[in-house]
Amino acid sequence: MCDVIIEKLLAVRDKKPGTTVQLTNEEVEFIVVESKKVLINQPGLLELEAPIQICGDIHGQYHDLLRMFEYCGFPPDANYLFLGCAPPSCARVRRWHF
């Protein structure tokens, strides 16, 4: 099932940003369950191997994520560390978007 989901997600690479990816309820549930397993089993401190791409928050912009993968390589061939949203800048972004 994983390969089918990845194929669907990558199918929008050349589409306009905002293009919807149609996933079934079962596919979404699969992603949630498998992601939870990965996160629960990760230690609090990760040992990462170089080279690694360190990325700031992409604010949920899927096409930005795809562009980074196109430019730097797709996992597992490239390593990434996504820092997420820092609280002060997150507050500013939330005010702009909501």
Side-chain angles (χ1 to χ4, degrees):
M1 180 180 292
C2 193
D3 290 336
V4 172
I5 295 170
I6 291 171
E7 189 175 306
K8 285 183 178 184
L9 292 171
L10 293 179
V12 298
R13 268 195 268 199
D14 300 323
K15 306 274 192 247
K16 183 176 133 183
T19 301
T20 325
V21 176
Q22 296 296 321
L23 298 175
T24 66
N25 288 342
E26 292 78 22
E27 290 168 333
V28 172
E29 187 174 321
F30 175 83
I31 293 169
V32 170
V33 169
E34 294 303 311
S35 299
K36 183 178 177 182
K37 288 179 191 176
V38 169
L39 292 172
I40 286 173
N41 290 314
Q42 284 187 338
L45 181 62
L46 298 176
E47 292 185 30
L48 306 172
E49 290 187 32
I52 188 165
Q53 304 298 324
I54 300 175
C55 308
D57 192 356
I58 59 171
H59 301 288
Q61 299 302 309
Y62 182 62
H63 274 78
D64 290 347
L65 176 68
L66 287 177
R67 276 190 297 194
M68 281 193 293
F69 288 168
E70 295 272 343
Y71 183 73
C72 300
F74 281 82
D77 298 326
N79 295 319
Y80 290 87
L81 173 63
F82 289 92
L83 300 177
C85 200
S89 64
C90 243
R92 274 196 309 277
V93 169
R94 282 193 200 111
R95 280 197 303 269
W96 293 338
H97 290 293
F98 293 99

